[in-house]
Amino acid sequence: MYKFVAIDIDGTLLNSKSELTERTKSVLKQASDKGIYIVLTSGRMTSSVQNFCREVGANEFLIAENGASIFDLKRQEIIYKKYIPKEIVLKVLDLCIENNIYYMIYTDKELIVKDLKHMALFFYKQNYNPNARIETHLAGREYIETLNDNFAKIMICDEDRIIYNSIVNKLKGISDIDVTPVPHISTKRLTFGTEEKIIEYSYADISSRDTNKWSAIERLANQLGISNDEIIAIGDNINDIEMIRNAGLGIAMENGSPNVREFADEIAPSNDDDGVAKIIEKYIL
């Protein structure tokens, strides 16, 4: 019997319009009422995940920043964290500045960017939706130098694939970090009044060494006395591979990357077809 369900948010829990459907909310609440741990497991920061947790009845724990932190929702505190030391953040930042590549730095409270482009622009537009709110701070190296060691992850983005690949290779030479490049080009649709704009870019996540969603899931499950075989993991992107590969039942979304689907035990219907709800109905309800 499955006791723990880890669910990615973007591209998995939310549909392609970044919406949470009523069917998905209802099904997850029913699973939670049965005593199943519903744990949202995201690359987003904690503050951007909590409202989604409330909507689906996931009221125990959440995993944020690609596994860099575990948050206890009842106690309202971080119970585990593995952040990137400031000196490493500054080393990555200097490399980005020298090579004129866009960066986004996630702390436990805010997203720090020099200007609004790529994923940062997408998050900023989502701020019209209180459930997706991410505090965005426009600042540079000087501001980052004033902060304490609470850097959860870094994302780099660029439209030019050649420049992007070059920087990824350089970043892999920095010790004590993991670099996870996404093999496909990300496409986001943004609405400006009556107009729609499509933005495309390549991106990679940078985290502390050996930090990923599965490492946090396994730590939390051990604390709860739950074995790996009792865990379902559902995701769509490269940062979901470890949890899909290692969980008792690994589920990839139909809309997910082919690189992810090859590691899955089963393919769920797409995020526009209530794929998460259908998996929970099949295996939990």
Side-chain angles (χ1 to χ4, degrees):
M1 177 182 173
Y2 297 109
K3 299 178 180 178
F4 185 121
V5 185
I7 308 171
D8 171 57
I9 294 180
D10 296 288
T12 302
L13 181 73
L14 305 182
N15 64 21
S16 59
K17 296 180 180 179
S18 296
E19 298 169 337
L20 185 57
T21 69
E22 292 302 319
R23 178 178 180 179
T24 297
K25 285 191 282 189
S26 174
V27 167
L28 290 178
K29 284 178 181 176
Q30 290 177 60
S32 181
D33 289 343
K34 284 172 63 72
I36 305 299
Y37 287 98
I38 303 297
V39 181
L40 300 191
T41 309
S42 178
R44 293 171 178 244
M45 63 186 66
T46 298
S47 59
S48 180
V49 179
Q50 286 196 66
N51 281 336
F52 290 122
C53 291
R54 283 189 283 270
E55 284 205 79
V56 301
N59 53 14
E60 296 282 348
F61 304 96
L62 69 84
I63 293 171
E65 297 111 11
N66 283 336
S69 67
I70 302 173
F71 189 80
D72 186 317
L73 287 157
K74 289 185 175 177
R75 290 157 53 187
Q76 283 293 295
E77 65 182 24
I78 292 173
I79 58 173
Y80 168 78
K81 62 183 178 181
K82 190 178 181 185
Y83 292 157
I84 309 172
K86 189 197 301 192
E87 62 269 21
I88 300 295
V89 172
L90 292 174
K91 186 180 291 188
V92 171
L93 180 60
D94 288 340
L95 184 61
C96 291
I97 293 171
E98 289 166 10
N99 292 273
N100 195 32
I101 192 166
Y102 191 78
Y103 60 86
M104 299 164 56
I105 297 176
Y106 291 68
T107 74
D108 57 348
K109 296 183 177 68
E110 62 185 355
L111 176 64
I112 305 168
V113 296
K114 188 174 181 180
D115 51 34
L116 293 174
K117 292 173 62 177
H118 309 309
M119 185 71 82
L121 179 59
F122 176 69
F123 284 152
Y124 181 77
K125 292 294 291 181
Q126 278 195 323
N127 278 350
Y128 291 110
N129 174 0
N131 285 337
R133 185 161 186 81
I134 293 176
E135 295 298 332
T136 305
H137 192 138
L138 301 181
R141 194 184 196 280
E142 298 78 12
Y143 173 71
I144 293 165
E145 288 176 336
T146 68
L147 300 178
N148 296 322
D149 291 345
N150 58 347
F151 302 99
K153 73 169 188 172
I154 305 168
M155 182 184 287
I156 62 163
C157 309
D158 204 273
E159 300 99 332
D160 190 306
R161 193 73 181 180
I162 295 175
I163 293 174
Y164 163 81
N165 287 332
S166 173
I167 299 303
V168 165
N169 288 332
K170 290 180 181 179
L171 287 168
K172 287 181 177 179
I174 297 176
S175 60
D176 299 320
I177 60 172
D178 284 335
V179 181
T180 306
V182 174
H184 59 269
I185 294 174
S186 179
T187 301
K188 301 291 185 187
R189 296 179 181 272
L190 300 176
T191 302
F192 296 88
T194 58
E195 296 183 7
E196 186 176 72
K197 179 181 179 181
I198 297 176
I199 56 174
E200 296 182 330
Y201 53 88
S202 299
Y203 73 93
D205 283 329
I206 300 160
S207 60
S208 181
R209 178 74 69 190
D210 298 325
T211 298
N212 56 63
K213 292 182 178 182
W214 175 250
S215 64
I217 290 168
E218 192 170 38
R219 173 180 290 270
L220 179 58
N222 286 340
Q223 178 182 318
L224 298 171
I226 294 172
S227 69
N228 293 354
D229 289 342
E230 296 171 313
I231 299 172
I232 299 175
I234 313 174
D236 75 305
N237 212 337
I238 299 302
N239 60 347
D240 299 315
I241 286 178
E242 290 300 320
M243 70 176 190
I244 288 172
R245 179 165 54 189
N246 288 288
L249 179 63
I251 305 290
M253 304 298 290
E254 187 179 60
N255 55 284
S257 165
N259 306 71
V260 178
R261 294 200 298 268
E262 67 177 279
F263 293 100
D265 299 307
E266 185 172 331
I267 307 301
S270 79
N271 61 332
D272 284 329
D273 192 23
D274 286 312
V276 167
K278 290 178 179 178
I279 290 296
I280 299 301
E281 288 170 340
K282 179 178 179 179
Y283 288 102
I284 303 295
L285 303 183

